[in-house]
PDB file of all heavy atoms in Angstrom:
ATOM      1  N   VAL J  85     -11.780   8.594  11.041  1.00  0.00           N
ATOM      2  CA  VAL J  85     -11.511  10.035  11.143  1.00  0.00           C
ATOM      3  C   VAL J  85     -10.285  10.520  10.439  1.00  0.00           C
ATOM      4  O   VAL J  85     -10.199  11.548   9.879  1.00  0.00           O
ATOM      5  CB  VAL J  85     -11.404  10.354  12.687  1.00  0.00           C
ATOM      6  CG1 VAL J  85     -10.884  11.661  12.918  1.00  0.00           C
ATOM      7  CG2 VAL J  85     -12.736  10.114  13.393  1.00  0.00           C
ATOM      8  N   MET J  86      -9.304   9.583  10.434  1.00  0.00           N
ATOM      9  CA  MET J  86      -8.107   9.792   9.693  1.00  0.00           C
ATOM     10  C   MET J  86      -8.260  10.110   8.229  1.00  0.00           C
ATOM     11  O   MET J  86      -7.781  11.020   7.672  1.00  0.00           O
ATOM     12  CB  MET J  86      -7.068   8.696   9.857  1.00  0.00           C
ATOM     13  CG  MET J  86      -5.830   8.875   9.087  1.00  0.00           C
ATOM     14  SD  MET J  86      -4.796   7.358   8.993  1.00  0.00           S
ATOM     15  CE  MET J  86      -5.781   6.429   7.894  1.00  0.00           C
ATOM     16  N   PHE J  87      -9.276   9.322   7.636  1.00  0.00           N
ATOM     17  CA  PHE J  87      -9.474   9.495   6.220  1.00  0.00           C
ATOM     18  C   PHE J  87     -10.438  10.854   5.976  1.00  0.00           C
ATOM     19  O   PHE J  87     -10.182  11.539   5.069  1.00  0.00           O
ATOM     20  CB  PHE J  87     -10.135   8.232   5.577  1.00  0.00           C
ATOM     21  CG  PHE J  87      -9.247   7.093   5.391  1.00  0.00           C
ATOM     22  CD1 PHE J  87      -9.575   5.860   5.943  1.00  0.00           C
ATOM     23  CD2 PHE J  87      -8.053   7.251   4.624  1.00  0.00           C
ATOM     24  CE1 PHE J  87      -8.740   4.795   5.712  1.00  0.00           C
ATOM     25  CE2 PHE J  87      -7.259   6.190   4.466  1.00  0.00           C
ATOM     26  CZ  PHE J  87      -7.621   4.852   4.946  1.00  0.00           C
ATOM     27  N   GLU J  88     -11.359  10.926   6.927  1.00  0.00           N
ATOM     28  CA  GLU J  88     -12.248  12.065   6.692  1.00  0.00           C
ATOM     29  C   GLU J  88     -11.563  13.470   6.834  1.00  0.00           C
ATOM     30  O   GLU J  88     -12.073  14.411   6.300  1.00  0.00           O
ATOM     31  CB  GLU J  88     -13.364  11.907   7.758  1.00  0.00           C
ATOM     32  CG  GLU J  88     -14.393  10.854   7.574  1.00  0.00           C
ATOM     33  CD  GLU J  88     -15.430  10.774   8.699  1.00  0.00           C
ATOM     34  OE1 GLU J  88     -15.162  11.206   9.771  1.00  0.00           O
ATOM     35  OE2 GLU J  88     -16.548  10.203   8.402  1.00  0.00           O
ATOM     36  N   THR J  89     -10.464  13.479   7.518  1.00  0.00           N
ATOM     37  CA  THR J  89      -9.870  14.758   7.829  1.00  0.00           C
ATOM     38  C   THR J  89      -8.815  15.034   6.754  1.00  0.00           C
ATOM     39  O   THR J  89      -7.979  15.995   7.118  1.00  0.00           O
ATOM     40  CB  THR J  89      -9.324  14.791   9.217  1.00  0.00           C
ATOM     41  OG1 THR J  89      -8.400  13.693   9.464  1.00  0.00           O
ATOM     42  CG2 THR J  89     -10.389  14.783  10.323  1.00  0.00           C
ATOM     43  N   LEU J  90      -8.669  14.169   5.767  1.00  0.00           N
ATOM     44  CA  LEU J  90      -7.553  14.459   4.703  1.00  0.00           C
ATOM     45  C   LEU J  90      -8.147  15.595   3.868  1.00  0.00           C
ATOM     46  O   LEU J  90      -9.291  15.894   3.852  1.00  0.00           O
ATOM     47  CB  LEU J  90      -7.475  13.150   3.896  1.00  0.00           C
ATOM     48  CG  LEU J  90      -6.646  11.957   4.465  1.00  0.00           C
ATOM     49  CD1 LEU J  90      -6.694  10.822   3.503  1.00  0.00           C
ATOM     50  CD2 LEU J  90      -5.206  12.338   4.898  1.00  0.00           C
ATOM     51  N   SER J  91      -7.249  16.198   3.198  1.00  0.00           N
ATOM     52  CA  SER J  91      -7.664  17.307   2.254  1.00  0.00           C
ATOM     53  C   SER J  91      -8.594  16.855   1.136  1.00  0.00           C
ATOM     54  O   SER J  91      -8.133  15.922   0.312  1.00  0.00           O
ATOM     55  CB  SER J  91      -6.294  17.908   1.525  1.00  0.00           C
ATOM     56  OG  SER J  91      -6.812  18.692   0.494  1.00  0.00           O
ATOM     57  N   PRO J  92      -9.827  17.326   1.055  1.00  0.00           N
ATOM     58  CA  PRO J  92     -10.818  16.792   0.057  1.00  0.00           C
ATOM     59  C   PRO J  92     -10.338  17.246  -1.384  1.00  0.00           C
ATOM     60  O   PRO J  92     -10.723  16.585  -2.319  1.00  0.00           O
ATOM     61  CB  PRO J  92     -12.120  17.477   0.421  1.00  0.00           C
ATOM     62  CG  PRO J  92     -11.663  18.590   1.325  1.00  0.00           C
ATOM     63  CD  PRO J  92     -10.379  18.273   1.966  1.00  0.00           C
ATOM     64  N   GLU J  93      -9.514  18.301  -1.472  1.00  0.00           N
ATOM     65  CA  GLU J  93      -9.122  18.662  -2.793  1.00  0.00           C
ATOM     66  C   GLU J  93      -8.053  17.763  -3.282  1.00  0.00           C
ATOM     67  O   GLU J  93      -8.036  17.395  -4.449  1.00  0.00           O
ATOM     68  CB  GLU J  93      -8.438  20.097  -2.634  1.00  0.00           C
ATOM     69  CG  GLU J  93      -9.364  21.263  -2.458  1.00  0.00           C
ATOM     70  CD  GLU J  93      -9.808  21.226  -1.124  1.00  0.00           C
ATOM     71  OE1 GLU J  93      -9.124  20.803  -0.127  1.00  0.00           O
ATOM     72  OE2 GLU J  93     -10.801  21.907  -0.844  1.00  0.00           O
ATOM     73  N   ARG J  94      -7.151  17.243  -2.391  1.00  0.00           N
ATOM     74  CA  ARG J  94      -6.047  16.279  -2.872  1.00  0.00           C
ATOM     75  C   ARG J  94      -6.570  14.819  -2.786  1.00  0.00           C
ATOM     76  O   ARG J  94      -6.152  14.039  -3.578  1.00  0.00           O
ATOM     77  CB  ARG J  94      -4.844  16.449  -2.053  1.00  0.00           C
ATOM     78  CG  ARG J  94      -3.680  15.634  -2.448  1.00  0.00           C
ATOM     79  CD  ARG J  94      -2.387  15.971  -1.816  1.00  0.00           C
ATOM     80  NE  ARG J  94      -1.260  15.156  -2.250  1.00  0.00           N
ATOM     81  CZ  ARG J  94      -0.034  15.346  -1.633  1.00  0.00           C
ATOM     82  NH1 ARG J  94       0.194  16.248  -0.804  1.00  0.00           N
ATOM     83  NH2 ARG J  94       0.985  14.628  -2.203  1.00  0.00           N
ATOM     84  N   TYR J  95      -7.399  14.457  -1.772  1.00  0.00           N
ATOM     85  CA  TYR J  95      -7.729  13.056  -1.579  1.00  0.00           C
ATOM     86  C   TYR J  95      -9.179  12.906  -1.573  1.00  0.00           C
ATOM     87  O   TYR J  95      -9.819  12.311  -0.660  1.00  0.00           O
ATOM     88  CB  TYR J  95      -7.104  12.551  -0.301  1.00  0.00           C
ATOM     89  CG  TYR J  95      -5.595  12.615  -0.236  1.00  0.00           C
ATOM     90  CD1 TYR J  95      -4.966  13.614   0.599  1.00  0.00           C
ATOM     91  CD2 TYR J  95      -4.942  11.936  -1.019  1.00  0.00           C
ATOM     92  CE1 TYR J  95      -3.603  13.573   0.646  1.00  0.00           C
ATOM     93  CE2 TYR J  95      -3.495  11.885  -0.954  1.00  0.00           C
ATOM     94  CZ  TYR J  95      -2.892  12.745  -0.111  1.00  0.00           C
ATOM     95  OH  TYR J  95      -1.438  12.741  -0.084  1.00  0.00           O
ATOM     96  N   GLY J  96      -9.923  13.530  -2.439  1.00  0.00           N
ATOM     97  CA  GLY J  96     -11.355  13.473  -2.494  1.00  0.00           C
ATOM     98  C   GLY J  96     -12.036  12.169  -2.482  1.00  0.00           C
ATOM     99  O   GLY J  96     -13.041  11.910  -1.794  1.00  0.00           O
ATOM    100  N   HIS J  97     -11.429  11.148  -3.274  1.00  0.00           N
ATOM    101  CA  HIS J  97     -12.016   9.747  -3.161  1.00  0.00           C
ATOM    102  C   HIS J  97     -11.798   9.006  -1.851  1.00  0.00           C
ATOM    103  O   HIS J  97     -12.643   8.413  -1.385  1.00  0.00           O
ATOM    104  CB  HIS J  97     -11.400   9.003  -4.423  1.00  0.00           C
ATOM    105  CG  HIS J  97     -11.831   9.504  -5.757  1.00  0.00           C
ATOM    106  ND1 HIS J  97     -13.162   9.247  -6.233  1.00  0.00           N
ATOM    107  CD2 HIS J  97     -11.214  10.115  -6.645  1.00  0.00           C
ATOM    108  CE1 HIS J  97     -13.252   9.766  -7.308  1.00  0.00           C
ATOM    109  NE2 HIS J  97     -12.157  10.337  -7.684  1.00  0.00           N
ATOM    110  N   LEU J  98     -10.640   9.366  -1.198  1.00  0.00           N
ATOM    111  CA  LEU J  98     -10.304   8.743   0.063  1.00  0.00           C
ATOM    112  C   LEU J  98     -11.334   9.317   1.053  1.00  0.00           C
ATOM    113  O   LEU J  98     -11.927   8.490   1.911  1.00  0.00           O
ATOM    114  CB  LEU J  98      -8.913   9.030   0.508  1.00  0.00           C
ATOM    115  CG  LEU J  98      -7.820   8.181  -0.051  1.00  0.00           C
ATOM    116  CD1 LEU J  98      -6.506   8.700   0.314  1.00  0.00           C
ATOM    117  CD2 LEU J  98      -7.961   6.772   0.436  1.00  0.00           C
ATOM    118  N   VAL J  99     -11.637  10.592   1.107  1.00  0.00           N
ATOM    119  CA  VAL J  99     -12.642  11.148   2.002  1.00  0.00           C
ATOM    120  C   VAL J  99     -14.030  10.625   1.737  1.00  0.00           C
ATOM    121  O   VAL J  99     -14.604  10.316   2.714  1.00  0.00           O
ATOM    122  CB  VAL J  99     -12.570  12.767   1.937  1.00  0.00           C
ATOM    123  CG1 VAL J  99     -13.656  13.290   2.659  1.00  0.00           C
ATOM    124  CG2 VAL J  99     -11.256  13.303   2.247  1.00  0.00           C
ATOM    125  N   LYS J 100     -14.433  10.511   0.528  1.00  0.00           N
ATOM    126  CA  LYS J 100     -15.675   9.986   0.260  1.00  0.00           C
ATOM    127  C   LYS J 100     -15.844   8.588   0.626  1.00  0.00           C
ATOM    128  O   LYS J 100     -16.960   8.080   1.088  1.00  0.00           O
ATOM    129  CB  LYS J 100     -15.827  10.161  -1.277  1.00  0.00           C
ATOM    130  CG  LYS J 100     -17.244   9.687  -1.753  1.00  0.00           C
ATOM    131  CD  LYS J 100     -17.411   9.909  -3.196  1.00  0.00           C
ATOM    132  CE  LYS J 100     -18.956   9.637  -3.731  1.00  0.00           C
ATOM    133  NZ  LYS J 100     -18.995   9.839  -5.206  1.00  0.00           N
ATOM    134  N   ALA J 101     -14.795   7.761   0.602  1.00  0.00           N
ATOM    135  CA  ALA J 101     -14.873   6.445   0.857  1.00  0.00           C
ATOM    136  C   ALA J 101     -14.358   6.113   2.409  1.00  0.00           C
ATOM    137  O   ALA J 101     -14.131   4.971   2.717  1.00  0.00           O
ATOM    138  CB  ALA J 101     -14.010   5.521  -0.055  1.00  0.00           C
ATOM    139  N   ALA J 102     -14.359   7.126   3.196  1.00  0.00           N
ATOM    140  CA  ALA J 102     -13.752   6.951   4.561  1.00  0.00           C
ATOM    141  C   ALA J 102     -14.455   5.840   5.377  1.00  0.00           C
ATOM    142  O   ALA J 102     -13.886   5.040   6.036  1.00  0.00           O
ATOM    143  CB  ALA J 102     -13.843   8.259   5.302  1.00  0.00           C
ATOM    144  N   THR J 103     -15.880   5.873   5.303  1.00  0.00           N
ATOM    145  CA  THR J 103     -16.635   4.864   6.066  1.00  0.00           C
ATOM    146  C   THR J 103     -16.357   3.440   5.598  1.00  0.00           C
ATOM    147  O   THR J 103     -16.201   2.544   6.304  1.00  0.00           O
ATOM    148  CB  THR J 103     -18.126   5.349   6.045  1.00  0.00           C
ATOM    149  OG1 THR J 103     -18.307   6.569   6.643  1.00  0.00           O
ATOM    150  CG2 THR J 103     -18.822   4.289   6.925  1.00  0.00           C
ATOM    151  N   ALA J 104     -16.363   3.412   4.335  1.00  0.00           N
ATOM    152  CA  ALA J 104     -16.272   2.087   3.648  1.00  0.00           C
ATOM    153  C   ALA J 104     -14.884   1.539   3.948  1.00  0.00           C
ATOM    154  O   ALA J 104     -14.670   0.415   4.203  1.00  0.00           O
ATOM    155  CB  ALA J 104     -16.466   2.076   2.171  1.00  0.00           C
ATOM    156  N   LEU J 105     -13.764   2.455   3.956  1.00  0.00           N
ATOM    157  CA  LEU J 105     -12.345   2.047   4.131  1.00  0.00           C
ATOM    158  C   LEU J 105     -12.113   1.644   5.513  1.00  0.00           C
ATOM    159  O   LEU J 105     -11.174   0.884   5.846  1.00  0.00           O
ATOM    160  CB  LEU J 105     -11.464   3.069   3.752  1.00  0.00           C
ATOM    161  CG  LEU J 105     -11.314   3.400   2.146  1.00  0.00           C
ATOM    162  CD1 LEU J 105     -10.498   4.599   1.851  1.00  0.00           C
ATOM    163  CD2 LEU J 105     -10.707   2.117   1.476  1.00  0.00           C
ATOM    164  N   ALA J 106     -12.908   2.154   6.474  1.00  0.00           N
ATOM    165  CA  ALA J 106     -12.750   1.943   7.965  1.00  0.00           C
ATOM    166  C   ALA J 106     -13.759   0.948   8.437  1.00  0.00           C
ATOM    167  O   ALA J 106     -14.095   0.896   9.617  1.00  0.00           O
ATOM    168  CB  ALA J 106     -12.863   3.239   8.684  1.00  0.00           C
ATOM    169  N   SER J 107     -14.242  -0.029   7.540  1.00  0.00           N
ATOM    170  CA  SER J 107     -15.067  -0.999   8.006  1.00  0.00           C
ATOM    171  C   SER J 107     -14.458  -2.356   7.727  1.00  0.00           C
ATOM    172  O   SER J 107     -13.593  -2.561   6.825  1.00  0.00           O
ATOM    173  CB  SER J 107     -16.493  -0.919   7.227  1.00  0.00           C
ATOM    174  OG  SER J 107     -16.384  -1.106   5.902  1.00  0.00           O
ATOM    175  N   ILE J 108     -14.860  -3.360   8.357  1.00  0.00           N
ATOM    176  CA  ILE J 108     -14.483  -4.706   8.222  1.00  0.00           C
ATOM    177  C   ILE J 108     -15.596  -5.567   7.729  1.00  0.00           C
ATOM    178  O   ILE J 108     -16.527  -5.796   8.604  1.00  0.00           O
ATOM    179  CB  ILE J 108     -13.837  -5.305   9.497  1.00  0.00           C
ATOM    180  CG1 ILE J 108     -12.579  -4.570   9.766  1.00  0.00           C
ATOM    181  CG2 ILE J 108     -13.446  -6.824   9.262  1.00  0.00           C
ATOM    182  CD1 ILE J 108     -11.863  -4.994  11.030  1.00  0.00           C
ATOM    183  N   ASP J 109     -15.582  -5.958   6.478  1.00  0.00           N
ATOM    184  CA  ASP J 109     -16.709  -6.822   5.980  1.00  0.00           C
ATOM    185  C   ASP J 109     -16.221  -8.343   5.963  1.00  0.00           C
ATOM    186  O   ASP J 109     -15.298  -8.592   4.979  1.00  0.00           O
ATOM    187  CB  ASP J 109     -17.146  -6.294   4.663  1.00  0.00           C
ATOM    188  CG  ASP J 109     -18.352  -6.948   4.181  1.00  0.00           C
ATOM    189  OD1 ASP J 109     -18.761  -8.051   4.742  1.00  0.00           O
ATOM    190  OD2 ASP J 109     -19.009  -6.515   3.146  1.00  0.00           O
ATOM    191  N   GLU J 110     -16.670  -9.123   6.804  1.00  0.00           N
ATOM    192  CA  GLU J 110     -16.251 -10.590   6.804  1.00  0.00           C
ATOM    193  C   GLU J 110     -17.441 -11.394   6.395  1.00  0.00           C
ATOM    194  O   GLU J 110     -17.564 -12.581   6.780  1.00  0.00           O
ATOM    195  CB  GLU J 110     -15.774 -10.888   8.159  1.00  0.00           C
ATOM    196  CG  GLU J 110     -14.454 -10.187   8.486  1.00  0.00           C
ATOM    197  CD  GLU J 110     -13.848 -10.534   9.857  1.00  0.00           C
ATOM    198  OE1 GLU J 110     -14.681 -11.157  10.655  1.00  0.00           O
ATOM    199  OE2 GLU J 110     -12.678 -10.219  10.133  1.00  0.00           O
ATOM    200  N   SER J 111     -18.397 -10.800   5.593  1.00  0.00           N
ATOM    201  CA  SER J 111     -19.532 -11.588   5.324  1.00  0.00           C
ATOM    202  C   SER J 111     -19.290 -12.598   4.276  1.00  0.00           C
ATOM    203  O   SER J 111     -18.179 -12.477   3.636  1.00  0.00           O
ATOM    204  CB  SER J 111     -20.534 -10.601   4.710  1.00  0.00           C
ATOM    205  OG  SER J 111     -20.234  -9.912   3.539  1.00  0.00           O
ATOM    206  N   ASP J 112     -20.132 -13.612   4.104  1.00  0.00           N
ATOM    207  CA  ASP J 112     -20.000 -14.538   2.976  1.00  0.00           C
ATOM    208  C   ASP J 112     -19.759 -13.855   1.616  1.00  0.00           C
ATOM    209  O   ASP J 112     -19.073 -14.286   0.794  1.00  0.00           O
ATOM    210  CB  ASP J 112     -21.135 -15.525   2.964  1.00  0.00           C
ATOM    211  CG  ASP J 112     -21.149 -16.448   4.216  1.00  0.00           C
ATOM    212  OD1 ASP J 112     -20.027 -16.565   4.876  1.00  0.00           O
ATOM    213  OD2 ASP J 112     -22.139 -17.043   4.495  1.00  0.00           O
ATOM    214  N   ALA J 113     -20.570 -12.820   1.376  1.00  0.00           N
ATOM    215  CA  ALA J 113     -20.584 -12.130   0.049  1.00  0.00           C
ATOM    216  C   ALA J 113     -19.246 -11.399  -0.131  1.00  0.00           C
ATOM    217  O   ALA J 113     -18.700 -11.474  -1.248  1.00  0.00           O
ATOM    218  CB  ALA J 113     -21.671 -11.009   0.011  1.00  0.00           C
TER     219      ALA J 113
END
């Protein structure tokens, strides 16, 4: 939510990647 509510004009890439940035991938890959 923190990333999603950032200004899309200033932090467009952060907003777009919000879900990926807020996930924990501990898979072998």
Side-chain angles (χ1 to χ4, degrees):
V85 171
M86 178 190 71
F87 286 125
E88 288 178 338
T89 53
L90 292 172
S91 168
E93 289 76 20
R94 184 173 181 179
Y95 301 110
H97 290 287
L98 280 173
V99 173
K100 185 177 181 180
T103 299
L105 290 170
S107 65
I108 296 180
D109 188 349
E110 297 179 343
S111 65
D112 291 343

